[in-house]
Amino acid sequence: MAPPLSRRFLLQSAMLAAAVPGVSFSAGGGRAVAATVPTPSTWSVRPFELKDVTLGQGLYADKRQLMLDHGRGYDVNRLLQVFRANAGLSTGGAVAPGGWEGLDGEANGNLRGHYTGHFLSMLSQAYASTGQQVYADKISTMVGALTDVRAALRTDPRMLTVTGRWGGAHENVRGSYQYVDLPATVLNGSAAITLSIWVSPTHDANWQRVFDFGNNSTRYMYLVTRNAAGVPRFAITTSGSGGEQGLNGTAALPLNQWSHLAVTISGTTGTLYVNGTAVATNTSMSLNPSVLGTLTNNWLGRSNYSGDPVYAGAFDEFNVYSRALTAAEITSFQTNEAKKSAAGLGNLASYYFSTTTTGTLGDSSGRGLNATLRRTWDGPSHQGFLAAYPETQFIALESMTSGDYTRVWAPYYTAHKILKGLLDAYLATDDSRALDLASGMCDWMYSRLSKLPDATLQRMWGIFSSGEFGGIVETIVDLYTITGKADHLALAKLFDLDSLIDACAANTDILDGLHANQHIPIFTGYVRLYDATGEARYLTAAKNFWGMVIPQRMYGIGGTSTAEFWKARGVISGTISDTNAETCCAYNLLKLSRSLFFHEQDPKYMDYYERALLNQVLGSKQDKADAEKPLVTYFIGLKPGHVRDYTPKQGTTCCEGTGMESATKYQDSVYFTEADGSALYVNLYSAATLNWSAKGVTVAQSTDYPREQGSTITVGGGSAAFALRLRVPSWAGADFRVTVNGTAVSGTPAAGSYFTVPSRTWRAGDVVRVTIPFLLRVEKALDDPSLQTLFYGPVNLVGRNSSTSYLSCGLYRNAGLSGDLLPSLTPVNGKPLHYTLGGTEFAPFHEGSEDPTHAYVRRSEPQIVLGGTDSGVANPARTDGTTLLDEIWAGAPFADKGALVARVQSTVAAWVSAGLLGQADGQKVVTTAQNATYAA
């Protein structure tokens, strides 16, 4: 049992539960309580709902439309296929999406169900953002199906009737883990025998048993649709696989088509028939069913070898006879059902699968040997359980000491995606069925995890991959604020990974070697636990953790991780590869940054938000429509010449799931409000209109940012008093300007801050103009200053070049007095934000192209060139790599040419004095500076 929760925690839980209204659930749609997550009192600023902010035309809307079209057109029954199959329900012929969302993908589909949760969240956000009914209809279909699935998992399996060879037949849906259990006396000790059955296999996996009668993997007889060679095989043995006496077919059985199989044994002769024709005969058989004795495992569809797949397909007319039928009798089955054939029904057993609503299959032989439909994992599932695979992964995790994703692949991570999708569905559509499903999942998790010792929980959550649980804590706390169930808050705390929390709370960096996306979303959950419990260590740990990643392990685009893992603090150039910046990491860092900003309005959080959203997140979505795939990257390689892969791992990965979500909530952090409504934060410059219903006004931005260097904000509706806080990006220069109705607002905006337009009564038609001039600048890799990435304002510019070596770039040649490096580049006509340098085109990272790109370049300034004039002097460098030109331009911006010349003179003098530059060469540099012409 888990150790008792502290009295303090229980009191907190009780107080919070008392403050939250209880929830009752109805069987159908309809609101149980207000479909919102109550805003925590700990948030000093608060977001608006997606429905309150409308995207206007522009970069974000264009990207979003591609995903909206994908969500509108995709058949959600394909996503539901794995859930319905697991519950033994009809899949309606739907084909699972593939990749990680099916049985044939990586690790045999051990993550299936996760993508369905992402898709539900995407649809929910799409509906909240657009109000288009098509998304609500798809949500309702999915929630209804999942409700049916949970109910089916709570019962014993039932016959799934399909059209058979002769009327009805039973189907074993692939992924249902179902089989037919026959009584022990079915073979009756017969020495001579005939086994006859119609099969329609739906999958081509080898070693699927049509039947297997045995005790274990030593003593048995079986018939498979495909052996290792892909053809039917019958075998009988009393000494394991090495002692098998067998009969092999000559051709593969067709899929999704009825075939008749029969085996006869009489004396020493065994014969295998396929569709009435003898295809194999063995006249030297010494084994027959009588030597096997009474067997315990008499199965249709299941093997006595645990690693063999369960039969996928349909059965019709299984008959067992205590004699070897003649060839003519077996051939007669081709044109007659058994009861009308020359052979008649089997005298040992006869199942012709007449339709039933139960799991009991009647025996028509007269012996009363009714069979029972069962699941290999037993059942029914426990109350509240909902997944696309059995509870077995959750159970196995509890005894694991190291990760093995081929056995257990992050079941609580998958549970999180489903839980989050259901909660989002409820919040978007008020369908209480979704809330009931989500609440039930948490009830089930609590009933399981609360019984485990704390040491077991700590071990589980520390296991790479298998123990990954994603952002489940955040979602459970959000659900708790709606349900008010104390068990739900207690459940959230059961995911505490104390070694991680304690280290980060102490600001001890232990991230080297950890799996990045396993840990980032954990902290968003811990921030919510702080909100719910007041325990400061959660928030402190999250803040410190953020600082260990940004900028210490951050690439210029805002991404992090190499091949999903973190390396040592401060190592950037040493980790550049084809597997950088897993897209999920950016998604979750955005969520964490946003969450931390609610508690502390440090502009660094929203600076990062803009960086990652505008560059990595937008750039991870291909600028192309596709009905089948969302076209989102998994990794974004930063190695020279990397080409982005928008269909990774056959689709349906974690990153494609978060990519779908990102693309339908671009507006979620454009505006925040002070908790008391006294101020409006404008965090992102984006064409987006806020309907601030509490104030009775609208606030609309008109901008083509980042193609436009600023934004126009117009107030509409009525009148309201509030201050306006405008984010001044950390990269912004001294020319950041704000006017209200054409009049400049006094004050000096500071880069990396919020500039406040003091509170006033705003009226319809008031216009605020924000001007944010861009400069071209570089950011240097922390561990190699010569490796740099280019930014024009917020936009990361990448070279499009097929070379697989770093491009060598010089940028000071025509630098302006402001320090702007842009004059060294040449604009491309008709292509905003596109430039050429050294014969290579540089374009915004956010463009989702398939061009080979260079995110980082090798900075090379071999000669001292000022204002386009070459001094003829080599550019010297200090031992740390800093060059003379670096030191000169570090003084920018310069008020005028004189200030620049003065900087050159003082820098040259210092370098000559240090013996780093000769006197004569120093004079050449100064003279060049004096004679050159500079751009502003």
Side-chain angles (χ1 to χ4, degrees):
M1 296 293 290
L5 295 168
S6 70
R7 180 174 181 274
R8 172 172 170 266
F9 172 68
L10 291 172
L11 286 172
Q12 289 171 335
S13 300
M15 288 187 291
L16 284 164
V20 181
V23 176
S24 61
F25 306 112
S26 59
R31 186 192 297 263
V33 292
T36 57
V37 174
T39 303
S41 61
T42 53
W43 290 5
S44 48
V45 301
R46 300 178 179 186
F48 294 93
E49 294 185 56
L50 289 179
K51 65 181 177 61
D52 295 328
V53 183
T54 304
L55 280 183
Q57 290 186 343
L59 175 60
Y60 291 102
D62 290 345
K63 288 273 190 177
R64 183 182 71 169
Q65 191 61 49
L66 294 169
M67 199 62 75
L68 289 176
D69 290 344
H70 173 71
R72 181 183 296 106
Y74 197 85
D75 181 7
V76 295
N77 287 299
R78 296 188 60 190
L79 300 166
L80 295 166
Q81 194 270 354
V82 291
F83 285 89
R84 286 169 166 154
N86 182 52
L89 298 175
S90 174
T91 62
V95 177
W100 288 1
E101 199 63 18
L103 288 167
D104 296 315
E106 198 166 353
N108 299 315
N110 280 348
L111 210 65
R112 61 191 182 276
H114 81 113
Y115 192 75
T116 302
H118 284 299
F119 206 90
L120 257 178
S121 291
M122 180 269 285
L123 291 175
S124 300
Q125 292 172 176
Y127 179 58
S129 296
T130 69
Q132 294 178 15
Q133 188 63 33
V134 62
Y135 302 115
D137 291 344
K138 287 178 178 286
I139 292 168
S140 181
T141 295
M142 296 179 75
V143 171
L146 293 175
T147 300
D148 292 342
V149 164
R150 186 180 69 174
L153 289 172
R154 286 287 296 146
T155 63
D156 290 323
R158 300 181 180 186
M159 178 179 171
L160 181 58
T161 303
V162 294
T163 301
R165 182 65 176 82
W166 310 108
H170 168 68
E171 182 181 12
N172 258 9
V173 178
R174 185 162 181 261
S176 66
Y177 303 96
Q178 292 184 169
Y179 66 99
V180 179
D181 188 17
L182 306 178
T185 58
V186 65
L187 297 179
N188 205 35
S190 297
I193 201 163
T194 297
L195 302 106
S196 165
I197 192 167
W198 284 94
V199 295
S200 179
T202 57
H203 194 257
D204 61 0
N206 295 338
W207 302 114
Q208 296 180 80
R209 300 300 201 261
V210 175
F211 61 72
D212 194 335
F213 300 139
N215 288 331
N216 45 42
S217 57
T218 300
R219 195 177 193 86
Y220 54 78
M221 72 175 190
Y222 67 74
L223 175 65
V224 296
T225 54
R226 294 173 61 91
N227 63 4
V231 298
R233 172 176 170 81
F234 169 83
I236 184 169
T237 182
T238 56
S239 56
S241 59
E244 287 184 1
Q245 298 176 12
L247 299 161
N248 293 318
T250 56
L253 295 183
L255 297 181
N256 303 301
Q257 182 176 317
W258 286 104
S259 299
H260 183 259
L261 299 175
V263 176
T264 64
I265 298 177
S266 179
T268 61
T269 299
T271 305
L272 172 65
Y273 294 85
V274 177
N275 291 323
T277 301
V279 296
T281 300
N282 184 343
T283 59
S284 303
M285 297 185 68
S286 60
L287 300 176
N288 61 59
S290 67
V291 304
L292 297 177
T294 301
L295 302 171
T296 56
N297 303 330
N298 299 292
W299 296 329
L300 299 183
R302 181 180 180 183
S303 172
N304 275 288
Y305 285 87
S306 60
D308 287 339
V310 175
Y311 171 77
F315 296 116
D316 197 4
E317 280 213 334
F318 177 54
N319 283 280
V320 185
Y321 304 84
S322 60
R323 64 186 179 89
L325 298 186
T326 66
E329 287 175 315
I330 290 174
T331 301
S332 72
F333 293 141
Q334 297 298 301
T335 54
N336 291 286
E337 53 186 316
K339 64 184 178 182
K340 297 179 181 179
S341 71
L345 297 176
N347 65 312
L348 293 183
S350 179
Y351 308 95
Y352 50 90
F353 303 104
S354 29
T355 302
T356 176
T357 58
T358 71
T360 300
L361 305 173
D363 172 29
S364 299
S365 70
R367 298 181 67 212
L369 301 181
N370 292 346
T372 305
L373 193 62
R374 303 192 189 282
R375 298 184 178 106
T376 60
W377 46 272
D378 295 324
S381 295
H382 291 92
Q383 184 74 36
F385 176 75
L386 177 63
Y389 46 71
E391 291 177 86
T392 48
Q393 278 207 57
F394 296 91
I395 296 168
L397 175 62
E398 294 166 8
S399 60
M400 293 179 71
T401 57
S402 61
D404 179 357
Y405 84 135
T406 64
R407 289 180 53 226
V408 175
W409 194 1
Y412 286 96
Y413 173 95
T414 300
H416 165 242
K417 303 310 171 192
I418 300 167
L419 181 68
K420 181 67 162 62
L422 290 168
L423 181 58
D424 287 344
Y426 170 66
L427 295 173
T429 67
D430 303 342
D431 189 334
S432 62
R433 296 175 302 172
L435 186 59
D436 184 36
L437 290 170
S439 183
M441 287 183 70
C442 287
D443 293 343
W444 173 80
M445 284 187 277
Y446 181 73
S447 70
R448 175 150 223 105
L449 295 177
S450 63
K451 294 178 174 62
L452 298 177
D454 185 63
T456 300
L457 294 172
Q458 297 297 323
R459 172 173 48 77
M460 285 165 56
W461 308 144
I463 298 175
F464 161 60
S465 187
S466 297
E468 184 175 356
F469 55 79
I472 199 168
V473 175
E474 176 191 15
T475 304
I476 293 171
V477 175
D478 284 347
L479 180 71
Y480 159 73
T481 65
I482 296 172
T483 66
K485 290 186 177 181
D487 283 354
H488 291 171
L489 183 55
L491 170 64
K493 284 185 63 67
L494 293 175
F495 289 92
D496 280 6
L497 181 54
D498 289 333
S499 60
L500 181 69
I501 298 171
D502 293 344
C504 289
N507 208 16
T508 302
D509 191 330
I510 61 168
L511 303 189
D512 187 6
L514 291 185
H515 183 260
N517 197 53
Q518 182 165 347
H519 294 85
I520 299 169
I522 290 178
F523 283 95
T524 306
Y526 291 159
V527 173
R528 292 293 284 121
L529 266 178
Y530 164 76
D531 296 332
T533 67
E535 292 187 30
R537 71 174 189 136
Y538 291 124
L539 184 60
T540 301
K543 288 180 179 179
N544 290 340
F545 168 80
W546 191 93
M548 295 171 192
V549 179
I550 303 166
Q552 299 299 328
R553 293 174 171 88
M554 181 192 76
Y555 302 108
I557 58 173
T560 189
S561 79
T562 299
E564 301 190 7
F565 288 81
W566 280 311
K567 303 299 182 184
R569 183 185 183 99
V571 178
I572 299 297
S573 71
T575 63
I576 298 294
S577 72
D578 283 329
T579 58
N580 295 127
E582 183 185 356
T583 303
C584 277
C585 294
Y587 166 88
N588 282 309
L589 280 171
L590 288 179
K591 291 192 71 175
L592 178 60
S593 300
R594 184 175 188 263
S595 181
L596 291 173
F597 190 84
F598 295 152
H599 298 84
E600 178 184 26
Q601 288 70 65
D602 190 326
K604 69 183 181 182
Y605 295 127
M606 284 297 114
D607 256 2
Y608 172 78
Y609 201 99
E610 177 183 63
R611 174 195 295 266
L613 180 67
L614 183 57
N615 294 294
Q616 170 154 7
V617 171
L618 285 186
S620 68
K621 173 71 185 85
Q622 188 173 16
D623 296 330
K624 178 181 175 182
D626 193 285
E628 287 297 304
K629 298 287 189 292
L631 300 181
V632 176
T633 59
Y634 191 105
F635 297 121
I636 293 184
L638 302 178
K639 193 174 179 180
H642 178 79
V643 176
R644 293 176 210 170
D645 178 7
Y646 297 99
T647 54
K649 298 176 179 283
Q650 306 174 57
T652 69
T653 64
C654 53
C655 291
E656 286 155 297
T658 54
M660 291 191 297
E661 293 185 45
S662 290
T664 48
K665 64 182 181 82
Y666 290 140
Q667 76 271 38
D668 76 340
S669 297
V670 176
Y671 304 105
F672 294 154
T673 176
E674 201 82 45
D676 61 2
S678 62
L680 179 69
Y681 284 78
V682 180
N683 304 307
L684 303 174
Y685 298 102
S686 170
T689 298
L690 166 66
N691 179 20
W692 197 355
S693 57
K695 292 285 187 180
V697 298
T698 61
V699 180
Q701 287 192 67
S702 174
T703 180
D704 196 25
Y705 188 93
R707 301 183 186 100
E708 178 183 347
Q709 298 182 20
S711 182
T712 300
I713 304 171
T714 304
V715 177
S719 62
F722 56 90
L724 196 60
R725 304 201 197 285
L726 304 167
R727 187 175 64 86
V728 186
S730 59
W731 47 263
D735 293 330
F736 184 98
R737 294 287 183 268
V738 179
T739 63
V740 176
N741 297 329
T743 301
V745 180
S746 62
T748 304
S753 70
Y754 277 81
F755 180 76
T756 300
V757 177
S759 182
R760 52 174 283 166
T761 299
W762 299 90
R763 292 180 170 82
D766 284 345
V767 176
V768 179
R769 176 62 191 171
V770 184
T771 303
I772 320 173
F774 293 0
L775 298 176
L776 182 71
R777 70 188 193 281
V778 298
E779 289 188 1
K780 303 173 181 179
L782 297 178
D783 53 336
D784 183 354
S786 72
L787 196 66
Q788 303 179 356
T789 186
L790 279 60
F791 277 87
Y792 186 47
V795 179
N796 185 231
L797 297 177
V798 294
R800 291 181 174 174
N801 191 302
S802 61
S803 171
T804 55
S805 299
Y806 285 113
L807 302 177
S808 180
C809 294
L811 295 168
Y812 288 136
R813 173 175 292 275
N814 293 306
L817 292 174
S818 63
D820 189 1
L821 302 173
L822 190 64
S824 294
L825 279 64
T826 303
V828 178
N829 290 332
K831 298 175 73 175
L833 301 176
H834 285 241
Y835 304 89
T836 58
L837 176 65
T840 293
E841 182 176 357
F842 281 77
F845 190 98
H846 64 241
E847 293 185 356
S849 76
E850 293 180 285
D851 297 296
T853 59
H854 290 247
Y856 283 87
V857 297
R858 186 68 69 187
R859 188 67 175 273
S860 177
E861 307 280 356
Q863 293 293 112
I864 297 178
V865 182
L866 294 163
T869 304
D870 191 339
S871 67
V873 177
N875 186 23
R878 298 187 187 277
T879 55
D880 65 358
T882 302
T883 69
L884 178 67
L885 282 174
D886 290 334
E887 197 155 312
I888 290 170
W889 287 105
F894 302 107
D896 50 31
K897 176 179 176 179
L900 170 59
V901 172
R903 174 75 175 190
V904 172
Q905 289 172 327
S906 63
T907 304
V908 164
W911 282 59
V912 169
S913 176
L916 299 171
L917 183 67
Q919 183 72 42
D921 283 343
Q923 187 55 53
K924 289 181 184 178
V925 173
V926 172
T927 300
T928 300
Q930 292 169 334
N931 294 335
T933 301
Y934 305 94

